[in-house]
Amino acid sequence: MDLTGLILRVTAGRPHVLLATVPGGAAVRLAAERLLRARDWPQASTPAKADLLLVAGPDLPELRTALERLWRDMPAPRARVHARTPDEVEAALDSGRALLGSPAVQRESAAPPGEAGGHREGEHGAQERHEGDDQAPGHDRDGGGEGEAGRAGDAHGGPDGEHAPHDAGPDTEAEHGDGRQAPDGQTPDSQDPDGQALDGQDADGHGDHDDHGGHGGHGGHGGGQTDMPGGLPMAEPGADRDGLTLDRLHLPLGPFLADWPAGLTVRLVLQGDVVQRADVDEPARPSDDAAVEAFWVQPWLRAASGEPVTVGEAVRRRAAAHLDSLGRLLAVAGWPAEAVRAGRLRDDLLSGAPRAAVAPRLERLTRRVGRSRTLAWLTRGIGVVTAQKAREAGAGGPAARADGDVAARYRQWLADIRHDLPRLEDPAPLDVAVEESPRGPWSAEAPPSAALIALLPPLLEGAELAAARLVVASLDPDPEELVSRGVVEVARG
């Protein structure tokens, strides 16, 4: 009996897919998420849980090292493919499945360094010889080499995509970022406001599918951290805010965490679980032959260039962007069922679904999320941005109007979605000066996400690590805005 072939066929039949989205890959990510849901292929939140690495977006040389680290941290059997445009996603996934089911490819991938070498899949799985793709020293196949950024990435038990498992049992208490516990020890996905059990089910009532044997359960994946003994950064002594000398750990978050702004890297200095310092790297920029188009602000970019764009098209894209941000925040907070519902509504809006088809479902989503006491408890008092602080940073949009914490910001998204719903078919021409983009008034000279990124360091400093991802998710800056074609052209004069 060919046991290896049987295992490979089972793995290839329903692979766990790790999406690594680079700036400029938002449209590719959305296409991949839609197709994965249609095929019932689960998304992996970490390299340790993944079989197939799908790189979404253009080839950015600055991020190649981080991508290689993700690849090294994936256990065998594994495959790697690249989709640069939405049209390439289906072929890339089919190619990845074929590579997973091939004993010859997997033997080559698992060969020790110095024998057959590793392999790297290019576009649609075309193999290229690539030195150093195999497992690095100190990285075990159960995910032990993910590093501190890997474990930190899943501080709130983020999901594996649509069929998201809960590592903690139903009796595990959900800890708030400031040390509080949720009422009755519940997480947002374990009970809805009406008392209906949600734990372990997706939006269609299916149970968890994370039965992928041999894959570890660490948190998200960082990428970009310095290689140290055992794959972990070393701590160093330093004075904390109380004058005590404690170990300080340098910990990067990003650029390829699940439910994380594409390509964003935040470098933290931790003492215990408290952030002492936070710095944000400049986003990776494309080469001249791989210009990035910012997906969520395309209607504003086109209108600014003189193209005819309707208000309905713009508000539809804005509402979809808010649903995308909301879904990521709900996933980070541990409510995967509602995160999946938000993603499906987002996709329906982007596909042009009429208002009558989405209005009832949007109303149910906004009511359930907006009235969730547990979610409000988990996010209350975290990452407070007053209207004055937002103005001083140059931020506008929902973050400024919310005038409050993480809970205030996701509720502002819900209010904006309800406000935009009646205008989905508005045929009036778009006035860029009147209608703001998803993250604030659009300006190529000062993209709104630049101000949101500038807000992150002071908000994260002094926060607990468990709250850091919620803060980032509630602002959800879009690095694509900073490296898009229109912004680069303005920067060059």
Side-chain angles (χ1 to χ4, degrees):
M1 180 179 180
D2 183 6
L3 183 58
T4 299
L6 176 61
I7 293 174
L8 292 180
R9 286 193 296 272
V10 171
T11 300
R14 192 168 177 270
H16 290 55
V17 179
L18 178 64
L19 269 175
T21 308
V22 303
V28 184
R29 170 178 66 86
L30 296 175
E33 290 177 357
R34 287 192 298 269
L35 189 55
L36 291 177
R37 282 201 303 269
R39 294 187 175 190
D40 195 28
W41 290 9
Q43 283 186 238
S45 60
T46 71
K49 297 178 181 179
D51 309 304
L52 176 59
L53 173 62
L54 173 59
V55 182
D59 183 19
L60 301 188
E62 293 180 43
L63 296 178
R64 287 175 185 168
T65 300
L67 287 171
E68 293 304 319
R69 187 170 290 108
L70 290 187
W71 174 244
R72 289 199 306 266
D73 287 347
M74 287 176 58
R78 61 180 182 169
R80 171 178 174 175
V81 290
H82 191 166
R84 293 170 175 81
T85 67
D87 293 338
E88 297 176 359
V89 170
E90 185 170 9
L93 291 177
D94 290 341
S95 176
R97 180 164 59 179
L99 291 167
L100 275 174
S102 169
V105 170
Q106 295 309 316
R107 280 195 297 270
E108 182 183 2
S109 176
E115 292 186 10
H119 79 273
R120 173 186 174 189
E121 277 70 56
E123 185 175 354
H124 304 328
Q127 294 183 23
E128 302 171 8
R129 301 294 302 178
H130 188 84
E131 184 178 357
D133 273 349
D134 292 288
Q135 182 178 347
H139 290 72
D140 64 36
R141 287 298 187 190
D142 292 327
E146 290 177 73
E148 289 298 324
R151 281 181 283 276
D154 218 8
H156 280 266
D160 284 353
E162 179 176 358
H163 303 285
H166 300 282
D167 294 335
D171 298 329
T172 301
E173 295 178 337
E175 185 173 338
H176 187 278
D178 59 6
R180 298 196 304 270
Q181 294 172 352
D184 302 323
Q186 298 292 330
T187 58
D189 58 321
S190 61
Q191 187 174 15
D192 72 359
D194 299 323
Q196 294 177 316
L198 299 176
D199 190 22
Q201 293 194 355
D202 64 17
D204 292 324
H206 299 299
D208 289 346
H209 293 276
D210 192 17
D211 55 356
H212 195 49
H215 286 206
H218 293 310
H221 38 89
Q225 64 264 37
T226 303
D227 288 333
M228 299 296 287
L232 298 176
M234 299 294 289
E236 61 183 26
D240 73 350
R241 293 176 297 177
D242 297 324
L244 302 175
T245 300
L246 301 174
D247 282 343
R248 294 188 303 185
L249 181 66
H250 295 262
L251 176 67
L253 295 181
F256 296 118
L257 283 168
D259 301 299
W260 180 263
L264 181 70
T265 301
V266 180
R267 301 189 180 276
L268 306 179
V269 177
L270 296 174
Q271 287 186 305
D273 62 349
V274 178
V275 178
Q276 299 294 325
R277 180 177 174 180
D279 297 291
V280 181
D281 287 359
E282 287 289 328
R285 297 187 177 275
S287 58
D288 292 338
D289 58 349
V292 168
E293 295 286 355
F295 177 79
W296 295 114
V297 294
Q298 278 185 8
W300 287 265
L301 290 172
R302 288 164 45 213
S305 66
E307 291 186 38
V309 180
T310 66
V311 170
E313 181 182 353
V315 299
R316 183 179 290 271
R317 183 66 60 96
R318 183 169 62 202
H322 291 336
L323 285 168
D324 186 61
S325 298
L326 177 67
R328 285 138 72 98
L329 185 142
L330 293 173
V332 171
W335 202 354
E338 292 305 305
V340 170
R341 291 188 178 97
R344 286 176 172 158
L345 281 165
R346 171 204 66 196
D347 293 342
D348 289 345
L349 285 176
L350 292 174
S351 65
R355 175 179 177 273
V358 298
R361 295 159 56 212
L362 274 172
E363 179 60 30
R364 286 194 296 270
L365 176 75
T366 57
R367 183 173 61 251
R368 284 170 61 85
V369 174
R371 294 179 180 178
S372 172
R373 293 186 295 271
T374 304
L375 181 62
W377 176 271
L378 288 172
T379 55
R380 188 178 65 192
I382 297 176
V384 176
V385 178
T386 64
Q388 179 180 355
K389 184 187 296 184
R391 286 193 300 270
E392 292 172 353
R401 289 195 304 276
D403 191 20
D405 54 11
V406 170
R409 288 194 285 278
Y410 75 70
R411 285 172 173 156
Q412 186 63 54
W413 286 336
L414 298 175
D416 289 352
I417 292 169
R418 287 193 294 266
H419 177 264
D420 284 339
L421 187 58
R423 302 194 296 157
L424 295 181
E425 284 95 23
D426 190 339
L430 173 63
D431 185 347
V432 176
V434 174
E435 295 290 343
E436 66 179 27
S437 69
R439 290 164 176 84
W442 175 251
S443 169
E445 293 83 358
S449 286
L452 297 179
I453 291 175
L455 282 170
L456 285 176
L459 283 179
L460 297 179
E461 290 172 5
E464 293 189 2
L465 180 59
R469 286 212 58 191
L470 284 172
V471 172
V472 175
S474 69
L475 291 173
D476 198 27
D478 182 9
E480 284 188 7
E481 293 183 4
L482 280 64
V483 298
S484 67
R485 186 195 307 268
V487 171
V488 171
E489 288 173 352
V490 169
R492 292 175 178 172

